[in-house]
Amino acid sequence: VLEIGVPTRPAGFCNVNLMFEVPTEFANRVEVSRGPCSASYGSNGLHGTLNVLLPDAGEEQRYSLELGANDFWRVQAQAGGASHHFGVVYVDDGGFREESGYRQGKLHVATEVEAFGGALSAWFVATDLDQETAGFILGEDAYRDPGLNRQNLNPEAYRNASSQRLAARWRGQLGRFEADIRPYLRHSDMAFLQHFLPGKPLEENGHTSAGMLTMFSTGAGAWSARFGFDLEWADVFLRQTQFGPTEGSAFLQETRPEGKHYDYDVTGLAMASFVQAEYAVSDRVTIAAGLRAEHNRYDYANNMLDGNTRDDGTPCGFGGCLYTRPADRDDSFTDLAPKLGGRWQLANDVLLYANLVRGFRAPQMTELYRLQSGQAVSDLESETADSFELGLRRSSEDWSIDVAAFAMRKKDSVYRDANGFNVSGGRSRHEGVEFAWRRELYSDWSLAINGTYARHV
């Protein structure tokens, strides 16, 4: 997930929670890139990317108030000028279910000036979430029963999260190259009660990170090229603490003890370089190639006793405590992401294209260091996906169609099994067809159909 081309989280600290940190309410548009994108964006660009494009500046002003059921209300305001933009949104939702709901605020400030012989833009994004989480409802077809589907069996559950991101982008001419340089600084904190686990431990995690993305472009005649260097530093922490005894069987009570389960810090460093080039063989045929080399290093420090004892060092029964803490260690991952593609303009309105690419994802820090009983830090490899795509696009003034067939092979995937253990070394195959068709009916109306058929083994 990117914000104006800048990843919103460090490479080894990505999870679904980053989705609510992005201010899509202010977005001009969201670019969706399907398939492996690691050659352009690095680790985590395994299945695709979402790039949220926020406004730099503009004269437009918008104000809105929304009201809804369950005490829902949202207020949003955007204002701007020739060189700046300001946006704020606040939402309060009482929740469909008992003692569930959330309050969230988002802020976006941006400015753009001429500086250092080029165009300099800067933006700041801040979010804050206060959520009362609802637990599972139980029983077959419980969701159909109005007396059950509004229940909240875990009214004590909550999630509090905040994030801040400051970034800038400078575009200008450096000698014979067009330069695009983007420094950034990021921070996030989150605490949530894991009500879905026996013992209901509290997890606290967060990060502070900084980095810079650079890209230089040049070209002459039939060819063009881009190259760049990326650097990222991150300081990540995770703590998990259980504040009361576990309820349930003797096994659960003994293996999930009260007290601290995990407490670790990881310093991450990512370095990458890339080059991409295009060559126009003729007026109708263009070929493209690219390669990215990336190195990720994690320096892990355990702030507790090593092993799977209680936090005071006493052993658990039934073979040991569930939670295993590795000793301090360093781990490094080096990956290459090649890309080869081509475009053939069959006619003025018909384009045939093909891409052969590799995507990768370095192991996440929780996969390496948040272990359970019987697990040890294994020699995990980066997950990779090799994909081939063949597509056809055709468009006219009032209609367009895009059809693509793909085949992908993945290896070294990490899955979580039914017992909650990470299982590494997974392999899978993916084949399918995707299509998108759009027809402009009248000046204000259009009809669109999107579909996919795929097989995943």
Side-chain angles (χ1 to χ4, degrees):
V1 177
L2 311 163
E3 205 170 60
I4 317 181
V6 178
T8 60
R9 286 281 189 100
F13 189 59
C14 290
N15 53 61
V16 70
N17 295 294
L18 62 84
M19 297 297 291
F20 57 67
E21 298 175 351
V22 183
T24 53
E25 295 87 347
F26 311 127
N28 288 335
R29 64 184 186 275
V30 177
E31 294 179 340
V32 180
S33 300
R34 303 175 301 181
C37 300
S38 295
S40 299
Y41 299 110
S43 185
N44 297 319
L46 190 66
H47 295 117
T49 61
L50 301 176
N51 186 19
V52 179
L53 298 176
L54 301 173
D56 293 325
E59 302 291 344
E60 182 182 10
Q61 299 188 28
R62 290 191 295 172
Y63 306 94
S64 66
L65 172 65
E66 298 175 63
L67 302 174
N70 306 305
D71 299 321
F72 172 88
W73 62 275
R74 174 164 53 192
V75 61
Q76 181 173 338
Q78 292 190 70
S83 61
H84 62 275
H85 175 269
F86 172 82
V88 62
V89 60
Y90 184 84
V91 57
D92 191 323
D93 186 354
F96 172 75
R97 298 167 62 188
E98 298 171 357
E99 298 185 64
S100 71
Y102 72 95
R103 290 157 296 281
Q104 186 177 35
K106 296 181 180 181
L107 171 70
H108 171 245
V109 180
T111 187
E112 184 172 359
V113 296
E114 296 292 324
F116 310 108
L120 175 64
S121 59
W123 63 94
F124 174 74
V125 171
T127 68
D128 186 78
L129 174 69
D130 181 2
Q131 178 184 6
E132 298 176 69
T133 311
F136 301 110
I137 55 175
L138 306 175
E140 184 176 359
D141 292 332
Y143 69 95
R144 298 178 181 270
D145 188 338
L148 297 177
N149 58 22
R150 290 181 177 267
Q151 285 186 348
N152 180 8
L153 302 182
N154 296 102
E156 75 284 359
Y158 69 92
R159 181 194 312 269
N160 295 330
S162 65
S163 68
Q164 303 83 37
R165 293 181 298 279
L166 176 64
R169 182 184 186 185
W170 183 83
R171 287 166 289 179
Q173 197 75 24
L174 289 179
R176 57 180 295 187
F177 301 108
E178 294 181 11
D180 186 325
I181 301 174
R182 308 186 199 194
Y184 57 87
L185 179 64
R186 306 172 299 202
H187 175 265
S188 74
D189 272 297
M190 183 170 68
F192 72 100
L193 191 68
Q194 300 178 85
H195 61 274
F196 44 84
L197 295 179
K200 303 176 184 179
L202 174 69
E203 179 183 324
E204 301 168 277
N205 65 61
H207 86 284
T208 299
S209 60
M212 179 177 292
L213 310 176
T214 67
M215 183 173 67
F216 305 92
S217 305
T218 186
W223 69 276
S224 62
R226 297 181 297 175
F227 66 94
F229 310 93
D230 300 339
L231 181 65
E232 178 179 272
W233 165 88
D235 185 12
V236 178
F237 76 90
L238 184 143
R239 295 187 294 268
Q240 180 174 306
T241 310
Q242 184 172 315
F243 293 100
T246 301
E247 297 180 359
S249 66
F251 174 79
L252 289 177
Q253 294 179 33
E254 187 65 23
T255 58
R256 297 175 182 263
E258 183 178 358
K260 189 176 288 188
H261 300 157
Y262 301 104
D263 184 353
Y264 65 76
D265 300 294
V266 181
T267 301
L269 181 64
M271 298 176 289
S273 61
F274 66 90
V275 60
Q276 300 178 12
E278 286 194 358
Y279 179 73
V281 180
S282 67
D283 293 338
R284 294 185 176 273
V285 178
T286 301
I287 57 175
L291 178 65
R292 182 185 184 92
E294 182 167 310
H295 179 77
N296 283 276
R297 175 185 171 86
Y298 305 146
D299 184 359
Y300 159 82
N302 178 32
N303 300 320
M304 296 179 60
L305 295 171
D306 301 338
N308 67 336
T309 64
R310 293 182 172 89
D311 57 5
D312 61 2
T314 59
C316 295
F318 294 94
C321 303
L322 176 66
Y323 310 106
T324 296
R325 298 171 294 272
D328 296 358
R329 57 180 289 138
D330 298 330
D331 293 283
S332 299
F333 305 92
T334 301
D335 297 281
L336 294 176
K339 176 180 180 179
L340 180 64
R343 305 187 300 273
W344 183 10
Q345 197 75 44
L346 299 177
N348 291 334
D349 60 347
V350 181
L351 175 69
L352 179 69
Y353 62 92
N355 292 299
L356 180 63
V357 296
R358 164 167 286 191
F360 67 89
R361 185 188 70 106
Q364 301 298 287
M365 297 172 186
T366 52
E367 296 170 350
L368 289 166
Y369 311 124
R370 193 181 191 173
L371 304 180
Q372 297 188 8
S373 178
Q375 292 184 304
V377 176
S378 58
D379 294 327
L380 287 181
E381 299 291 338
S382 295
E383 184 177 7
T384 59
D386 295 317
S387 174
F388 176 73
E389 179 186 29
L390 179 64
L392 181 71
R393 294 193 185 115
R394 186 172 184 178
S395 60
S396 65
E397 293 183 357
D398 58 358
W399 71 278
S400 63
I401 188 170
D402 187 346
V403 181
F406 68 90
M408 184 168 65
R409 301 291 183 269
K410 288 176 59 180
K411 67 177 183 177
D412 294 314
S413 302
V414 178
Y415 297 96
R416 177 157 291 196
D417 66 15
N419 296 317
F421 289 92
N422 287 337
V423 179
S424 60
R427 292 175 177 264
S428 58
R429 304 191 309 272
H430 313 263
E431 297 94 17
V433 178
E434 298 179 343
F435 72 90
W437 176 83
R438 185 179 182 90
R439 178 65 184 263
E440 302 295 331
L441 301 178
Y442 302 101
S443 58
D444 296 326
W445 289 87
S446 63
L447 176 65
I449 301 175
N450 298 275
T452 179
Y453 176 80
R455 183 170 180 265
H456 310 281
V457 180

